[in-house]
PDB file of all heavy atoms in Angstrom:
ATOM      1  N   THR A   1      18.291 -11.990  13.827  1.00  0.00           N
ATOM      2  CA  THR A   1      19.053 -12.861  12.942  1.00  0.00           C
ATOM      3  C   THR A   1      18.441 -14.253  12.982  1.00  0.00           C
ATOM      4  O   THR A   1      18.205 -14.805  14.053  1.00  0.00           O
ATOM      5  CB  THR A   1      20.521 -12.923  13.385  1.00  0.00           C
ATOM      6  OG1 THR A   1      21.039 -11.586  13.458  1.00  0.00           O
ATOM      7  CG2 THR A   1      21.355 -13.740  12.410  1.00  0.00           C
ATOM      8  N   GLU A   2      18.195 -14.774  11.809  1.00  0.00           N
ATOM      9  CA  GLU A   2      17.597 -16.101  11.666  1.00  0.00           C
ATOM     10  C   GLU A   2      18.562 -17.041  10.956  1.00  0.00           C
ATOM     11  O   GLU A   2      19.195 -16.657   9.979  1.00  0.00           O
ATOM     12  CB  GLU A   2      16.304 -16.014  10.848  1.00  0.00           C
ATOM     13  CG  GLU A   2      15.242 -15.129  11.448  1.00  0.00           C
ATOM     14  CD  GLU A   2      14.716 -15.659  12.755  1.00  0.00           C
ATOM     15  OE1 GLU A   2      14.315 -16.834  12.817  1.00  0.00           O
ATOM     16  OE2 GLU A   2      14.703 -14.886  13.722  1.00  0.00           O
ATOM     17  N   ARG A   3      18.673 -18.252  11.472  1.00  0.00           N
ATOM     18  CA  ARG A   3      19.403 -19.304  10.747  1.00  0.00           C
ATOM     19  C   ARG A   3      18.403 -19.918   9.783  1.00  0.00           C
ATOM     20  O   ARG A   3      17.385 -20.469  10.189  1.00  0.00           O
ATOM     21  CB  ARG A   3      19.951 -20.367  11.681  1.00  0.00           C
ATOM     22  CG  ARG A   3      20.641 -21.514  10.907  1.00  0.00           C
ATOM     23  CD  ARG A   3      21.180 -22.580  11.818  1.00  0.00           C
ATOM     24  NE  ARG A   3      22.247 -22.072  12.667  1.00  0.00           N
ATOM     25  CZ  ARG A   3      23.531 -21.976  12.294  1.00  0.00           C
ATOM     26  NH1 ARG A   3      23.889 -22.345  11.071  1.00  0.00           N
ATOM     27  NH2 ARG A   3      24.431 -21.517  13.131  1.00  0.00           N
ATOM     28  N   MET A   4      18.698 -19.799   8.502  1.00  0.00           N
ATOM     29  CA  MET A   4      17.813 -20.275   7.454  1.00  0.00           C
ATOM     30  C   MET A   4      18.263 -21.662   6.997  1.00  0.00           C
ATOM     31  O   MET A   4      19.448 -21.880   6.738  1.00  0.00           O
ATOM     32  CB  MET A   4      17.839 -19.314   6.263  1.00  0.00           C
ATOM     33  CG  MET A   4      17.557 -17.860   6.612  1.00  0.00           C
ATOM     34  SD  MET A   4      15.905 -17.569   7.236  1.00  0.00           S
ATOM     35  CE  MET A   4      14.950 -17.810   5.733  1.00  0.00           C
ATOM     36  N   SER A   5      17.314 -22.569   6.909  1.00  0.00           N
ATOM     37  CA  SER A   5      17.565 -23.907   6.400  1.00  0.00           C
ATOM     38  C   SER A   5      16.668 -24.083   5.176  1.00  0.00           C
ATOM     39  O   SER A   5      15.441 -24.087   5.300  1.00  0.00           O
ATOM     40  CB  SER A   5      17.238 -24.953   7.470  1.00  0.00           C
ATOM     41  OG  SER A   5      17.373 -26.248   6.925  1.00  0.00           O
ATOM     42  N   LEU A   6      17.296 -24.176   4.017  1.00  0.00           N
ATOM     43  CA  LEU A   6      16.549 -24.216   2.759  1.00  0.00           C
ATOM     44  C   LEU A   6      16.686 -25.586   2.095  1.00  0.00           C
ATOM     45  O   LEU A   6      17.793 -26.046   1.834  1.00  0.00           O
ATOM     46  CB  LEU A   6      17.067 -23.141   1.800  1.00  0.00           C
ATOM     47  CG  LEU A   6      17.171 -21.710   2.358  1.00  0.00           C
ATOM     48  CD1 LEU A   6      17.780 -20.780   1.313  1.00  0.00           C
ATOM     49  CD2 LEU A   6      15.810 -21.208   2.785  1.00  0.00           C
ATOM     50  N   THR A   7      15.555 -26.222   1.844  1.00  0.00           N
ATOM     51  CA  THR A   7      15.505 -27.427   1.029  1.00  0.00           C
ATOM     52  C   THR A   7      14.911 -26.976  -0.297  1.00  0.00           C
ATOM     53  O   THR A   7      13.715 -26.675  -0.365  1.00  0.00           O
ATOM     54  CB  THR A   7      14.608 -28.509   1.681  1.00  0.00           C
ATOM     55  OG1 THR A   7      15.097 -28.774   2.996  1.00  0.00           O
ATOM     56  CG2 THR A   7      14.604 -29.779   0.842  1.00  0.00           C
ATOM     57  N   PRO A   8      15.743 -26.857  -1.345  1.00  0.00           N
ATOM     58  CA  PRO A   8      15.329 -26.201  -2.584  1.00  0.00           C
ATOM     59  C   PRO A   8      13.939 -26.610  -3.082  1.00  0.00           C
ATOM     60  O   PRO A   8      13.635 -27.788  -3.235  1.00  0.00           O
ATOM     61  CB  PRO A   8      16.419 -26.586  -3.578  1.00  0.00           C
ATOM     62  CG  PRO A   8      17.631 -26.731  -2.703  1.00  0.00           C
ATOM     63  CD  PRO A   8      17.109 -27.358  -1.434  1.00  0.00           C
ATOM     64  N   GLU A   9      13.133 -25.583  -3.269  1.00  0.00           N
ATOM     65  CA  GLU A   9      11.777 -25.646  -3.814  1.00  0.00           C
ATOM     66  C   GLU A   9      10.814 -26.495  -2.985  1.00  0.00           C
ATOM     67  O   GLU A   9       9.736 -26.834  -3.455  1.00  0.00           O
ATOM     68  CB  GLU A   9      11.797 -26.093  -5.272  1.00  0.00           C
ATOM     69  CG  GLU A   9      12.520 -25.105  -6.152  1.00  0.00           C
ATOM     70  CD  GLU A   9      12.340 -25.344  -7.627  1.00  0.00           C
ATOM     71  OE1 GLU A   9      11.417 -26.080  -8.024  1.00  0.00           O
ATOM     72  OE2 GLU A   9      13.127 -24.770  -8.406  1.00  0.00           O
ATOM     73  N   GLU A  10      11.190 -26.842  -1.740  1.00  0.00           N
ATOM     74  CA  GLU A  10      10.311 -27.633  -0.886  1.00  0.00           C
ATOM     75  C   GLU A  10      10.043 -26.997   0.474  1.00  0.00           C
ATOM     76  O   GLU A  10       8.912 -26.956   0.924  1.00  0.00           O
ATOM     77  CB  GLU A  10      10.895 -29.029  -0.650  1.00  0.00           C
ATOM     78  CG  GLU A  10      10.891 -29.903  -1.868  1.00  0.00           C
ATOM     79  CD  GLU A  10      11.473 -31.273  -1.582  1.00  0.00           C
ATOM     80  OE1 GLU A  10      11.624 -31.646  -0.388  1.00  0.00           O
ATOM     81  OE2 GLU A  10      11.782 -31.974  -2.541  1.00  0.00           O
ATOM     82  N   ARG A  11      11.107 -26.529   1.157  1.00  0.00           N
ATOM     83  CA  ARG A  11      10.970 -26.136   2.554  1.00  0.00           C
ATOM     84  C   ARG A  11      11.943 -25.009   2.890  1.00  0.00           C
ATOM     85  O   ARG A  11      13.106 -25.054   2.511  1.00  0.00           O
ATOM     86  CB  ARG A  11      11.264 -27.337   3.438  1.00  0.00           C
ATOM     87  CG  ARG A  11      11.207 -27.085   4.913  1.00  0.00           C
ATOM     88  CD  ARG A  11      11.633 -28.323   5.695  1.00  0.00           C
ATOM     89  NE  ARG A  11      10.734 -29.440   5.504  1.00  0.00           N
ATOM     90  CZ  ARG A  11       9.741 -29.761   6.320  1.00  0.00           C
ATOM     91  NH1 ARG A  11       9.529 -29.052   7.403  1.00  0.00           N
ATOM     92  NH2 ARG A  11       8.970 -30.800   6.080  1.00  0.00           N
ATOM     93  N   ILE A  12      11.418 -24.035   3.617  1.00  0.00           N
ATOM     94  CA  ILE A  12      12.228 -22.979   4.224  1.00  0.00           C
ATOM     95  C   ILE A  12      11.935 -23.045   5.715  1.00  0.00           C
ATOM     96  O   ILE A  12      10.783 -22.914   6.122  1.00  0.00           O
ATOM     97  CB  ILE A  12      11.839 -21.588   3.685  1.00  0.00           C
ATOM     98  CG1 ILE A  12      12.027 -21.511   2.174  1.00  0.00           C
ATOM     99  CG2 ILE A  12      12.633 -20.491   4.406  1.00  0.00           C
ATOM    100  CD1 ILE A  12      11.377 -20.281   1.533  1.00  0.00           C
ATOM    101  N   GLU A  13      12.964 -23.275   6.505  1.00  0.00           N
ATOM    102  CA  GLU A  13      12.798 -23.279   7.958  1.00  0.00           C
ATOM    103  C   GLU A  13      13.730 -22.231   8.533  1.00  0.00           C
ATOM    104  O   GLU A  13      14.824 -22.014   8.012  1.00  0.00           O
ATOM    105  CB  GLU A  13      13.124 -24.646   8.550  1.00  0.00           C
ATOM    106  CG  GLU A  13      12.123 -25.700   8.138  1.00  0.00           C
ATOM    107  CD  GLU A  13      12.421 -27.049   8.750  1.00  0.00           C
ATOM    108  OE1 GLU A  13      13.484 -27.611   8.458  1.00  0.00           O
ATOM    109  OE2 GLU A  13      11.568 -27.522   9.519  1.00  0.00           O
ATOM    110  N   PHE A  14      13.287 -21.576   9.593  1.00  0.00           N
ATOM    111  CA  PHE A  14      14.124 -20.555  10.204  1.00  0.00           C
ATOM    112  C   PHE A  14      13.945 -20.560  11.705  1.00  0.00           C
ATOM    113  O   PHE A  14      12.879 -20.878  12.223  1.00  0.00           O
ATOM    114  CB  PHE A  14      13.831 -19.166   9.624  1.00  0.00           C
ATOM    115  CG  PHE A  14      12.386 -18.805   9.545  1.00  0.00           C
ATOM    116  CD1 PHE A  14      11.782 -18.082  10.560  1.00  0.00           C
ATOM    117  CD2 PHE A  14      11.611 -19.204   8.452  1.00  0.00           C
ATOM    118  CE1 PHE A  14      10.437 -17.760  10.485  1.00  0.00           C
ATOM    119  CE2 PHE A  14      10.275 -18.869   8.370  1.00  0.00           C
ATOM    120  CZ  PHE A  14       9.677 -18.141   9.392  1.00  0.00           C
ATOM    121  N   THR A  15      15.050 -20.262  12.370  1.00  0.00           N
ATOM    122  CA  THR A  15      15.052 -20.205  13.827  1.00  0.00           C
ATOM    123  C   THR A  15      15.937 -19.054  14.265  1.00  0.00           C
ATOM    124  O   THR A  15      16.954 -18.759  13.617  1.00  0.00           O
ATOM    125  CB  THR A  15      15.525 -21.548  14.435  1.00  0.00           C
ATOM    126  OG1 THR A  15      15.321 -21.515  15.835  1.00  0.00           O
ATOM    127  CG2 THR A  15      16.966 -21.847  14.123  1.00  0.00           C
ATOM    128  N   HIS A  16      15.544 -18.404  15.346  1.00  0.00           N
ATOM    129  CA  HIS A  16      16.295 -17.257  15.843  1.00  0.00           C
ATOM    130  C   HIS A  16      17.677 -17.720  16.289  1.00  0.00           C
ATOM    131  O   HIS A  16      17.812 -18.647  17.081  1.00  0.00           O
ATOM    132  CB  HIS A  16      15.526 -16.616  17.003  1.00  0.00           C
ATOM    133  CG  HIS A  16      16.123 -15.339  17.457  1.00  0.00           C
ATOM    134  ND1 HIS A  16      16.215 -15.009  18.776  1.00  0.00           N
ATOM    135  CD2 HIS A  16      16.661 -14.301  16.773  1.00  0.00           C
ATOM    136  CE1 HIS A  16      16.784 -13.823  18.892  1.00  0.00           C
ATOM    137  NE2 HIS A  16      17.064 -13.381  17.694  1.00  0.00           N
ATOM    138  N   ASP A  17      18.718 -17.077  15.758  1.00  0.00           N
ATOM    139  CA  ASP A  17      20.093 -17.474  16.049  1.00  0.00           C
ATOM    140  C   ASP A  17      20.994 -16.245  15.974  1.00  0.00           C
ATOM    141  O   ASP A  17      21.710 -16.044  14.994  1.00  0.00           O
ATOM    142  CB  ASP A  17      20.537 -18.545  15.039  1.00  0.00           C
ATOM    143  CG  ASP A  17      21.881 -19.156  15.389  1.00  0.00           C
ATOM    144  OD1 ASP A  17      22.242 -19.207  16.580  1.00  0.00           O
ATOM    145  OD2 ASP A  17      22.579 -19.575  14.448  1.00  0.00           O
ATOM    146  N   PRO A  18      20.963 -15.401  17.030  1.00  0.00           N
ATOM    147  CA  PRO A  18      21.782 -14.188  17.003  1.00  0.00           C
ATOM    148  C   PRO A  18      23.274 -14.507  17.001  1.00  0.00           C
ATOM    149  O   PRO A  18      23.678 -15.577  17.464  1.00  0.00           O
ATOM    150  CB  PRO A  18      21.383 -13.443  18.270  1.00  0.00           C
ATOM    151  CG  PRO A  18      20.647 -14.401  19.115  1.00  0.00           C
ATOM    152  CD  PRO A  18      20.194 -15.534  18.252  1.00  0.00           C
ATOM    153  N   PRO A  19      24.072 -13.583  16.482  1.00  0.00           N
ATOM    154  CA  PRO A  19      25.523 -13.780  16.509  1.00  0.00           C
ATOM    155  C   PRO A  19      26.029 -13.950  17.950  1.00  0.00           C
ATOM    156  O   PRO A  19      25.426 -13.425  18.889  1.00  0.00           O
ATOM    157  CB  PRO A  19      26.081 -12.489  15.899  1.00  0.00           C
ATOM    158  CG  PRO A  19      24.944 -11.904  15.128  1.00  0.00           C
ATOM    159  CD  PRO A  19      23.693 -12.330  15.839  1.00  0.00           C
ATOM    160  N   ALA A  20      27.124 -14.665  18.090  1.00  0.00           N
ATOM    161  CA  ALA A  20      27.706 -14.908  19.412  1.00  0.00           C
ATOM    162  C   ALA A  20      27.929 -13.590  20.149  1.00  0.00           C
ATOM    163  O   ALA A  20      28.449 -12.627  19.576  1.00  0.00           O
ATOM    164  CB  ALA A  20      29.033 -15.655  19.272  1.00  0.00           C
ATOM    165  N   GLY A  21      27.463 -13.553  21.382  1.00  0.00           N
ATOM    166  CA  GLY A  21      27.651 -12.378  22.222  1.00  0.00           C
ATOM    167  C   GLY A  21      26.690 -11.237  21.977  1.00  0.00           C
ATOM    168  O   GLY A  21      26.762 -10.205  22.637  1.00  0.00           O
ATOM    169  N   LYS A  22      25.781 -11.385  21.035  1.00  0.00           N
ATOM    170  CA  LYS A  22      24.817 -10.321  20.730  1.00  0.00           C
ATOM    171  C   LYS A  22      23.429 -10.714  21.242  1.00  0.00           C
ATOM    172  O   LYS A  22      22.950 -11.803  20.961  1.00  0.00           O
ATOM    173  CB  LYS A  22      24.755 -10.061  19.232  1.00  0.00           C
ATOM    174  CG  LYS A  22      23.849  -8.903  18.876  1.00  0.00           C
ATOM    175  CD  LYS A  22      23.878  -8.577  17.396  1.00  0.00           C
ATOM    176  CE  LYS A  22      22.950  -7.422  17.098  1.00  0.00           C
ATOM    177  NZ  LYS A  22      22.832  -7.153  15.683  1.00  0.00           N
ATOM    178  N   ARG A  23      22.815  -9.809  21.969  1.00  0.00           N
ATOM    179  CA  ARG A  23      21.458 -10.041  22.478  1.00  0.00           C
ATOM    180  C   ARG A  23      20.456  -9.387  21.533  1.00  0.00           C
ATOM    181  O   ARG A  23      20.579  -8.210  21.231  1.00  0.00           O
ATOM    182  CB  ARG A  23      21.314  -9.436  23.871  1.00  0.00           C
ATOM    183  CG  ARG A  23      19.980  -9.726  24.501  1.00  0.00           C
ATOM    184  CD  ARG A  23      19.882  -9.091  25.888  1.00  0.00           C
ATOM    185  NE  ARG A  23      18.523  -9.121  26.340  1.00  0.00           N
ATOM    186  CZ  ARG A  23      17.574  -8.272  25.946  1.00  0.00           C
ATOM    187  NH1 ARG A  23      17.842  -7.321  25.111  1.00  0.00           N
ATOM    188  NH2 ARG A  23      16.341  -8.388  26.414  1.00  0.00           N
ATOM    189  N   GLU A  24      19.512 -10.161  21.055  1.00  0.00           N
ATOM    190  CA  GLU A  24      18.448  -9.637  20.204  1.00  0.00           C
ATOM    191  C   GLU A  24      17.119  -9.863  20.911  1.00  0.00           C
ATOM    192  O   GLU A  24      16.727 -11.013  21.127  1.00  0.00           O
ATOM    193  CB  GLU A  24      18.447 -10.326  18.839  1.00  0.00           C
ATOM    194  CG  GLU A  24      19.673 -10.040  18.012  1.00  0.00           C
ATOM    195  CD  GLU A  24      19.676 -10.745  16.667  1.00  0.00           C
ATOM    196  OE1 GLU A  24      18.919 -11.725  16.490  1.00  0.00           O
ATOM    197  OE2 GLU A  24      20.438 -10.321  15.792  1.00  0.00           O
ATOM    198  N   PRO A  25      16.413  -8.798  21.273  1.00  0.00           N
ATOM    199  CA  PRO A  25      15.162  -8.961  22.016  1.00  0.00           C
ATOM    200  C   PRO A  25      13.967  -9.382  21.159  1.00  0.00           C
ATOM    201  O   PRO A  25      12.869  -9.547  21.680  1.00  0.00           O
ATOM    202  CB  PRO A  25      14.930  -7.582  22.628  1.00  0.00           C
ATOM    203  CG  PRO A  25      15.690  -6.642  21.758  1.00  0.00           C
ATOM    204  CD  PRO A  25      16.838  -7.413  21.192  1.00  0.00           C
ATOM    205  N   ALA A  26      14.172  -9.583  19.884  1.00  0.00           N
ATOM    206  CA  ALA A  26      13.090 -10.048  19.007  1.00  0.00           C
ATOM    207  C   ALA A  26      13.620 -11.201  18.161  1.00  0.00           C
ATOM    208  O   ALA A  26      14.823 -11.304  17.920  1.00  0.00           O
ATOM    209  CB  ALA A  26      12.594  -8.920  18.111  1.00  0.00           C
ATOM    210  N   GLY A  27      12.709 -12.042  17.724  1.00  0.00           N
ATOM    211  CA  GLY A  27      13.104 -13.161  16.881  1.00  0.00           C
ATOM    212  C   GLY A  27      11.886 -13.869  16.328  1.00  0.00           C
ATOM    213  O   GLY A  27      10.745 -13.538  16.670  1.00  0.00           O
ATOM    214  N   ALA A  28      12.141 -14.831  15.473  1.00  0.00           N
ATOM    215  CA  ALA A  28      11.055 -15.574  14.842  1.00  0.00           C
ATOM    216  C   ALA A  28      11.464 -17.029  14.681  1.00  0.00           C
ATOM    217  O   ALA A  28      12.647 -17.362  14.629  1.00  0.00           O
ATOM    218  CB  ALA A  28      10.695 -14.971  13.494  1.00  0.00           C
ATOM    219  N   GLU A  29      10.462 -17.874  14.596  1.00  0.00           N
ATOM    220  CA  GLU A  29      10.623 -19.298  14.320  1.00  0.00           C
ATOM    221  C   GLU A  29       9.548 -19.644  13.301  1.00  0.00           C
ATOM    222  O   GLU A  29       8.440 -19.120  13.381  1.00  0.00           O
ATOM    223  CB  GLU A  29      10.391 -20.148  15.575  1.00  0.00           C
ATOM    224  CG  GLU A  29      11.141 -19.720  16.805  1.00  0.00           C
ATOM    225  CD  GLU A  29      12.611 -20.061  16.780  1.00  0.00           C
ATOM    226  OE1 GLU A  29      12.979 -21.053  16.117  1.00  0.00           O
ATOM    227  OE2 GLU A  29      13.383 -19.336  17.420  1.00  0.00           O
ATOM    228  N   GLY A  30       9.854 -20.525  12.375  1.00  0.00           N
ATOM    229  CA  GLY A  30       8.792 -20.925  11.468  1.00  0.00           C
ATOM    230  C   GLY A  30       9.256 -21.717  10.277  1.00  0.00           C
ATOM    231  O   GLY A  30      10.414 -22.144  10.195  1.00  0.00           O
ATOM    232  N   ARG A  31       8.315 -21.890   9.360  1.00  0.00           N
ATOM    233  CA  ARG A  31       8.620 -22.642   8.141  1.00  0.00           C
ATOM    234  C   ARG A  31       7.633 -22.289   7.036  1.00  0.00           C
ATOM    235  O   ARG A  31       6.500 -21.868   7.288  1.00  0.00           O
ATOM    236  CB  ARG A  31       8.603 -24.131   8.406  1.00  0.00           C
ATOM    237  CG  ARG A  31       7.223 -24.680   8.617  1.00  0.00           C
ATOM    238  CD  ARG A  31       7.206 -26.204   8.649  1.00  0.00           C
ATOM    239  NE  ARG A  31       5.854 -26.657   8.797  1.00  0.00           N
ATOM    240  CZ  ARG A  31       5.322 -27.057   9.938  1.00  0.00           C
ATOM    241  NH1 ARG A  31       6.032 -27.085  11.027  1.00  0.00           N
ATOM    242  NH2 ARG A  31       4.060 -27.437   9.978  1.00  0.00           N
ATOM    243  N   TYR A  32       8.105 -22.462   5.826  1.00  0.00           N
ATOM    244  CA  TYR A  32       7.292 -22.373   4.613  1.00  0.00           C
ATOM    245  C   TYR A  32       7.434 -23.722   3.928  1.00  0.00           C
ATOM    246  O   TYR A  32       8.545 -24.213   3.759  1.00  0.00           O
ATOM    247  CB  TYR A  32       7.823 -21.307   3.661  1.00  0.00           C
ATOM    248  CG  TYR A  32       7.584 -19.878   4.071  1.00  0.00           C
ATOM    249  CD1 TYR A  32       8.035 -19.373   5.279  1.00  0.00           C
ATOM    250  CD2 TYR A  32       6.914 -19.015   3.216  1.00  0.00           C
ATOM    251  CE1 TYR A  32       7.826 -18.058   5.648  1.00  0.00           C
ATOM    252  CE2 TYR A  32       6.700 -17.689   3.574  1.00  0.00           C
ATOM    253  CZ  TYR A  32       7.161 -17.227   4.783  1.00  0.00           C
ATOM    254  OH  TYR A  32       6.948 -15.923   5.138  1.00  0.00           O
ATOM    255  N   LEU A  33       6.309 -24.319   3.533  1.00  0.00           N
ATOM    256  CA  LEU A  33       6.323 -25.579   2.798  1.00  0.00           C
ATOM    257  C   LEU A  33       5.686 -25.358   1.437  1.00  0.00           C
ATOM    258  O   LEU A  33       4.619 -24.741   1.347  1.00  0.00           O
ATOM    259  CB  LEU A  33       5.555 -26.658   3.556  1.00  0.00           C
ATOM    260  CG  LEU A  33       6.051 -26.996   4.954  1.00  0.00           C
ATOM    261  CD1 LEU A  33       5.098 -27.983   5.639  1.00  0.00           C
ATOM    262  CD2 LEU A  33       7.453 -27.563   4.910  1.00  0.00           C
ATOM    263  N   LEU A  34       6.316 -25.868   0.394  1.00  0.00           N
ATOM    264  CA  LEU A  34       5.802 -25.750  -0.964  1.00  0.00           C
ATOM    265  C   LEU A  34       5.589 -27.145  -1.532  1.00  0.00           C
ATOM    266  O   LEU A  34       6.460 -28.015  -1.391  1.00  0.00           O
ATOM    267  CB  LEU A  34       6.782 -24.987  -1.855  1.00  0.00           C
ATOM    268  CG  LEU A  34       7.007 -23.526  -1.523  1.00  0.00           C
ATOM    269  CD1 LEU A  34       8.137 -23.375  -0.511  1.00  0.00           C
ATOM    270  CD2 LEU A  34       7.328 -22.745  -2.767  1.00  0.00           C
ATOM    271  N   GLU A  35       4.427 -27.340  -2.170  1.00  0.00           N
ATOM    272  CA  GLU A  35       4.088 -28.653  -2.713  1.00  0.00           C
ATOM    273  C   GLU A  35       3.273 -28.466  -3.989  1.00  0.00           C
ATOM    274  O   GLU A  35       2.348 -27.656  -4.025  1.00  0.00           O
ATOM    275  CB  GLU A  35       3.265 -29.400  -1.658  1.00  0.00           C
ATOM    276  CG  GLU A  35       2.808 -30.755  -2.062  1.00  0.00           C
ATOM    277  CD  GLU A  35       1.965 -31.385  -0.951  1.00  0.00           C
ATOM    278  OE1 GLU A  35       0.834 -30.893  -0.691  1.00  0.00           O
ATOM    279  OE2 GLU A  35       2.441 -32.353  -0.359  1.00  0.00           O
ATOM    280  N   ASP A  36       3.623 -29.206  -5.029  1.00  0.00           N
ATOM    281  CA  ASP A  36       2.882 -29.133  -6.281  1.00  0.00           C
ATOM    282  C   ASP A  36       1.463 -29.668  -6.104  1.00  0.00           C
ATOM    283  O   ASP A  36       1.240 -30.632  -5.365  1.00  0.00           O
ATOM    284  CB  ASP A  36       3.571 -29.958  -7.373  1.00  0.00           C
ATOM    285  CG  ASP A  36       4.854 -29.319  -7.861  1.00  0.00           C
ATOM    286  OD1 ASP A  36       4.985 -28.085  -7.789  1.00  0.00           O
ATOM    287  OD2 ASP A  36       5.741 -30.072  -8.308  1.00  0.00           O
ATOM    288  N   THR A  37       0.529 -29.015  -6.769  1.00  0.00           N
ATOM    289  CA  THR A  37      -0.847 -29.490  -6.859  1.00  0.00           C
ATOM    290  C   THR A  37      -1.276 -29.326  -8.321  1.00  0.00           C
ATOM    291  O   THR A  37      -0.620 -28.608  -9.077  1.00  0.00           O
ATOM    292  CB  THR A  37      -1.813 -28.671  -5.966  1.00  0.00           C
ATOM    293  OG1 THR A  37      -1.975 -27.384  -6.530  1.00  0.00           O
ATOM    294  CG2 THR A  37      -1.320 -28.580  -4.540  1.00  0.00           C
ATOM    295  N   PRO A  38      -2.376 -29.950  -8.729  1.00  0.00           N
ATOM    296  CA  PRO A  38      -2.841 -29.764 -10.109  1.00  0.00           C
ATOM    297  C   PRO A  38      -3.159 -28.294 -10.430  1.00  0.00           C
ATOM    298  O   PRO A  38      -3.054 -27.864 -11.572  1.00  0.00           O
ATOM    299  CB  PRO A  38      -4.102 -30.624 -10.183  1.00  0.00           C
ATOM    300  CG  PRO A  38      -3.913 -31.667  -9.129  1.00  0.00           C
ATOM    301  CD  PRO A  38      -3.154 -30.969  -8.019  1.00  0.00           C
ATOM    302  N   GLU A  39      -3.521 -27.510  -9.412  1.00  0.00           N
ATOM    303  CA  GLU A  39      -3.903 -26.111  -9.620  1.00  0.00           C
ATOM    304  C   GLU A  39      -2.730 -25.140  -9.499  1.00  0.00           C
ATOM    305  O   GLU A  39      -2.885 -23.954  -9.747  1.00  0.00           O
ATOM    306  CB  GLU A  39      -4.982 -25.692  -8.613  1.00  0.00           C
ATOM    307  CG  GLU A  39      -6.258 -26.503  -8.674  1.00  0.00           C
ATOM    308  CD  GLU A  39      -6.162 -27.819  -7.901  1.00  0.00           C
ATOM    309  OE1 GLU A  39      -5.279 -27.963  -7.034  1.00  0.00           O
ATOM    310  OE2 GLU A  39      -6.975 -28.706  -8.192  1.00  0.00           O
ATOM    311  N   GLY A  40      -1.573 -25.615  -9.073  1.00  0.00           N
ATOM    312  CA  GLY A  40      -0.426 -24.733  -8.866  1.00  0.00           C
ATOM    313  C   GLY A  40       0.464 -25.254  -7.755  1.00  0.00           C
ATOM    314  O   GLY A  40       0.887 -26.397  -7.785  1.00  0.00           O
ATOM    315  N   THR A  41       0.695 -24.416  -6.755  1.00  0.00           N
ATOM    316  CA  THR A  41       1.575 -24.777  -5.639  1.00  0.00           C
ATOM    317  C   THR A  41       0.877 -24.518  -4.312  1.00  0.00           C
ATOM    318  O   THR A  41       0.366 -23.419  -4.084  1.00  0.00           O
ATOM    319  CB  THR A  41       2.876 -23.945  -5.692  1.00  0.00           C
ATOM    320  OG1 THR A  41       3.503 -24.122  -6.954  1.00  0.00           O
ATOM    321  CG2 THR A  41       3.833 -24.353  -4.577  1.00  0.00           C
TER     322      THR A  41
END
């Protein structure tokens, strides 16, 4: 389970955040950044 933090059309950030009392032996952390360029994104 990931807590997603979305800044519309700019940033997606996520951090492992399992439900209370639940143990998850796998998880992820990261981000996606989007930025306009003359050639696209």
Side-chain angles (χ1 to χ4, degrees):
T1 305
E2 300 295 308
R3 176 180 295 276
M4 307 295 289
S5 175
L6 309 177
T7 304
E9 297 192 16
E10 291 180 15
R11 178 185 296 264
I12 300 167
E13 293 181 297
F14 48 95
T15 189
H16 188 221
D17 188 28
K22 184 175 180 186
R23 184 180 167 281
E24 294 179 341
E29 310 285 332
R31 72 170 182 260
Y32 287 57
L33 301 174
L34 294 89
E35 179 182 68
D36 288 333
T37 71
E39 301 82 19
T41 304

